[in-house]
């Protein structure tokens, strides 16, 4: 059996390793998250999300520092959770500012929120200068020359940034 197969989620050994990690460290991880969130319910959800992600991924062959590994995975999930919460809050504030007759239906609100989350994920995957150039162009309506001046880069660099951002958008649509 190859080393790659030994660590994939479809392997019984992998599931046993994750089970042992869960059994030995779930309570500790939930407390760690609870201290950061101040909310036991959200901490329980994010602890489960952490183990779900680990179950779906590859584990190192030897896990010398399981708690360090868990906190690394959980930290990424926690950052995503905060970003999502902030985006949802901003969207709810924008909806509250609309006159009632212009507010979208609950179904459309959910579709819009899901779309916003997908756009946010796509933008988060871009390096910061590429994301900034894209937002200046698409949201602020700035010309490439102005973006170059604002970012302190060449026009060619802005064009490269935009090409990369558009490729990322197309990949997300595929």
């Amino acid at each position: 059996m190859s080393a790659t197969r030994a660590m994939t989620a479809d392997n019984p050994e992998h599931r046993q390793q994750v089970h042992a990690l869960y059994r030995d460290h779930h309570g500790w991880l939930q407390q760690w998250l609870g201290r950061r969130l101040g909310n036991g319910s959200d901490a329980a959800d994010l602890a489960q999300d952490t183990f779900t992600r680990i179950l779906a991924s590859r584990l190192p062959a030897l896990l010398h520092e399981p708690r360090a590994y868990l906190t690394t995975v959980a930290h990424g999930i926690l950052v995503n959770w905060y970003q999502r919460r902030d985006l949802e809050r901003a969207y709810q504030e924008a909806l509250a500012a609309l006159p009632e007759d212009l507010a979208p239906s609950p179904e459309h609100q959910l579709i819009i929120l899901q779309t916003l989350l997908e756009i946010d994920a796509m933008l988060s995957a871009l390096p910061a200068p590429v994301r900034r150039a894209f937002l200046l162009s698409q949201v602020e309506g700035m010309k490439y020359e102005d973006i170059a001046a604002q970012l302190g880069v060449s026009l060619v660099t802005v064009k490269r940034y935009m090409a990369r951002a558009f490729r990322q958008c197309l990949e997300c649509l595929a």
Side-chain angles (χ1 to χ4, degrees), residues 24-117:
D24 296 343
H25 301 285
H26 176 266
W28 172 84
L29 179 63
Q30 189 168 331
Q31 288 178 351
W32 183 85
L33 287 163
R35 285 191 301 274
R36 277 141 190 82
L37 294 167
N39 178 324
S41 178
D42 289 335
D45 287 346
L46 294 181
Q48 288 302 113
D49 289 349
T50 300
F51 283 100
T52 300
R53 182 169 296 171
I54 290 169
L55 186 60
S57 68
R58 295 178 184 212
L59 281 173
L62 287 173
L63 201 53
H64 296 290
E65 299 291 335
R67 289 185 176 183
Y69 179 75
L70 287 170
T71 55
T72 299
V73 175
H75 183 265
I77 290 171
L78 188 59
V79 167
N80 292 343
W81 182 83
Y82 278 123
Q83 289 172 335
R84 179 184 172 107
R85 187 188 67 174
D86 291 346
L87 184 58
E88 287 175 356
R89 184 179 303 132
Y91 178 59
Q92 291 301 324
E93 289 172 4
L95 284 175
L98 286 175
E100 190 174 318
D101 59 328
L102 295 180
S105 70
E107 294 83 12
H108 283 110
Q109 288 180 25
L110 182 58
I111 291 168
I112 293 167
L113 180 58
Q114 288 171 339
T115 303
L116 287 171
L117 292 169

